[in-house]
Amino acid sequence: MSPTPPPLPEFKLALLGFGNVGQALIELLLEKRADLEINPGISFKVVGIASGSHGRAIDPRGLPMQEILKAYRKGEALSGFSSLEVNTSEEFAHKCGADVLFESTPVNYQTGQPALEYIKIALENGLHAITANKGPVVHGYRDLTKIARQNRVSFLFESSVMDGAPVFSLARTGFPGARIQEFSGILNSTTNLILSRMENGETQEEAIAYAQSIGIAETDPSGDVDGWDAAVKVAALVTVLMDVPFLPQDVDRVGIRSLTHDLIHDAAERGNRWKLLCRARLDPESARGVLAEVKPTEIGPDSQLYHITGTSAILQIKSDVLGNLSLIEDSPSTKTTAYGMLADFLNAVT
Ligand SMILES: NC(=O)c1ccc[n+]([C@@H]2O[C@H](COP(=O)([O-])OP(=O)(O)OC[C@H]3O[C@@H](n4cnc5c(N)ncnc54)[C@H](OP(=O)(O)O)[C@@H]3O)[C@@H](O)[C@H]2O)c1
């Protein structure tokens, strides 16, 4: 008789934020459960889910994920699934009893709060904290990484800038001893989609309305259109890849509002396209040691950037040893964002 195999290590998971990303993460966890039991050989249960206006649920025995998805999508409160009373997100982060907290609440460009506080509480309580939210990365990277180290856990954020494309793990493991000198790219999918649709004849208002109708642009599209989302991403990349603390306000930022249909048409006549270009480079002469900008830029067909259309994204990284390296993400979705979080989880615990 062959001996009974030892039980798989089981991880307790909690989700703070249960919108597009949180729900996609639950769906991906359900899809991948059997695969993960084989490789890397782990199991999990979800012991907590918290939303903003739809309450919170904690159950150490594990929550019924399919039922919770159904209930939340019908607009029902999560508290009916809870085995204990929990009244705020801070209390949730303290009490959830998980090994890993996945944070996906809305971004606050100015301060990173309240997500930053939730992540801090989780790390201080010995949970790995994984976020898709760029706010805490740009406003808290050094502090949160230090707290994580002190508590022997990880603070990871793969999905925060490129929807799950492995940009931060690439930088962490693929560039030992290298110096990242500059990067450029197209990092805001909403404006890239708007510009692509304007090339096909729509006005900016029509293109924004389309982006809103498919759920990509918010009701107030200014975060994308005025370049804030791109500036926060640039600041996060400078902070982490170049190890220079940098805020969105430090990025020289111009959005796409001034790009009229005529300007786009004229560029097309010259064989070019307008793109909202993100750029940063080390510059020891500058006050912060890095110059960074987000600006509409006319790009010719000889550049890789020209060919990045719709919701796709690209990041080109130049280092002192590898020259130029490009990462292209083709039409990302909430599933790719969820995968970035799953990858962070697996990297943290295996
Ligand atoms: N969507 C994407 O593809 C994508 C890609 C990369 C990164 N991200 C980032 O991921 C995060 C989530 O995006 P999303 O599209 O999932 O947003 P979303 O659909 O608006 O969902 C946000 C969720 O957070 C909850 N929430 C709001 N305030 C909260 C609080 N104080 N405590 C606990 N929960 C709270 C909301 O609950 P109620 O609705 O019940 O109030 C909702 O469940 C954002 O930071 C975003 O920038 C998103």
Side-chain angles (χ1 to χ4, degrees):
M1 225 173 64
S2 57
T4 319
L8 298 175
E10 183 183 63
F11 293 94
K12 298 188 280 299
L13 314 181
L15 279 72
L16 187 46
F18 197 43
N20 298 311
V21 172
Q23 291 171 48
L25 178 61
I26 289 290
E27 282 169 345
L28 186 62
L29 285 166
L30 289 167
E31 182 187 324
K32 289 276 178 191
R33 186 191 282 281
D35 285 352
L36 298 180
E37 285 176 2
I38 298 165
N39 185 15
I42 59 155
S43 68
F44 63 84
K45 62 181 172 184
V46 175
V47 296
I49 299 183
S51 72
S53 50
H54 294 80
R56 300 140 211 103
I58 296 179
D59 191 335
R61 294 165 300 181
L63 291 163
M65 292 191 272
Q66 293 283 20
E67 279 175 53
I68 289 207
L69 272 176
K70 258 192 227 155
Y72 188 80
R73 285 170 178 165
K74 279 197 264 169
E76 289 171 14
L78 301 177
S79 38
F81 293 92
S82 198
S83 68
L84 53 126
E85 194 178 322
V86 48
N87 294 310
T88 64
S89 293
E90 286 83 355
E91 201 185 335
F92 177 88
H94 275 291
K95 280 189 180 172
C96 64
D99 303 304
V100 183
L101 181 83
F102 294 98
E103 193 282 325
S104 66
T105 65
V107 60
N108 175 334
Y109 297 130
Q110 266 67 43
T111 67
Q113 293 291 9
L116 209 154
E117 184 58 24
Y118 305 151
I119 291 172
K120 190 162 171 261
I121 295 170
L123 294 170
E124 284 172 346
N125 280 281
L127 279 70
H128 298 289
I130 289 165
T131 186
N133 183 343
K134 43 211 165 279
V137 181
V138 78
H139 292 282
Y141 170 66
R142 281 201 176 172
D143 281 354
L144 295 172
T145 303
K146 190 170 158 204
I147 297 169
R149 209 169 287 133
Q150 284 164 348
N151 289 279
R152 298 174 189 278
V153 287
S154 300
F155 167 55
L156 296 172
F157 38 80
E158 194 65 275
S159 298
S160 60
V161 168
M162 274 189 93
D163 302 306
V167 50
F168 292 114
S169 53
L170 174 75
R172 238 182 354 257
T173 59
F175 285 86
R179 192 162 175 73
I180 293 178
Q181 298 165 313
E182 59 181 85
F183 64 81
S184 57
I186 297 170
L187 299 173
N188 179 265
S189 49
T190 306
T191 46
N192 207 46
L193 176 67
I194 291 168
L195 295 175
S196 293
R197 292 190 70 91
M198 287 175 75
E199 283 163 20
N200 293 330
E202 288 185 359
T203 63
Q204 194 172 116
E205 292 68 30
E206 287 166 343
I208 290 172
Y210 173 77
Q212 286 166 330
S213 75
I214 60 165
I216 287 189
E218 313 229 345
T219 317
D220 170 9
S222 54
D224 292 314
V225 172
D226 293 330
W228 276 114
D229 177 82
V232 179
K233 288 178 171 174
V234 168
L237 289 171
V238 171
T239 302
V240 181
L241 301 193
M242 293 172 158
D243 201 21
V244 176
F246 215 76
L247 291 172
Q249 299 88 302
D250 300 326
V251 178
D252 188 6
R253 174 185 53 82
V254 180
I256 63 161
R257 282 194 200 269
S258 61
L259 289 183
T260 58
H261 183 258
D262 284 352
L263 281 171
I264 287 183
H265 178 76
D266 292 350
E269 297 259 285
R270 292 187 285 275
N272 297 339
R273 286 180 169 148
W274 284 95
K275 294 288 178 192
L276 186 63
L277 185 59
C278 298
R279 271 198 289 214
R281 68 180 162 83
L282 293 177
D283 179 7
E285 307 292 303
S286 67
R288 305 200 60 81
V290 170
L291 286 177
E293 66 177 23
V294 168
K295 275 200 177 130
T297 307
E298 198 174 322
I299 306 276
D302 50 339
S303 163
Q304 269 183 318
L305 302 167
Y306 175 94
H307 304 281
I308 306 302
T309 56
T311 57
S312 298
I314 181 169
L315 180 67
Q316 302 178 311
I317 299 173
K318 187 172 176 198
S319 67
D320 56 347
V321 279
L322 278 181
N324 276 317
L325 192 74
S326 294
L327 194 62
I328 295 175
E329 189 173 49
D330 199 10
S331 305
S333 65
T334 49
K335 185 171 184 176
T336 46
T337 304
Y339 174 67
M341 299 188 93
L342 176 63
D344 278 343
F345 160 45
L346 298 176
N347 281 325
V349 302
T350 58

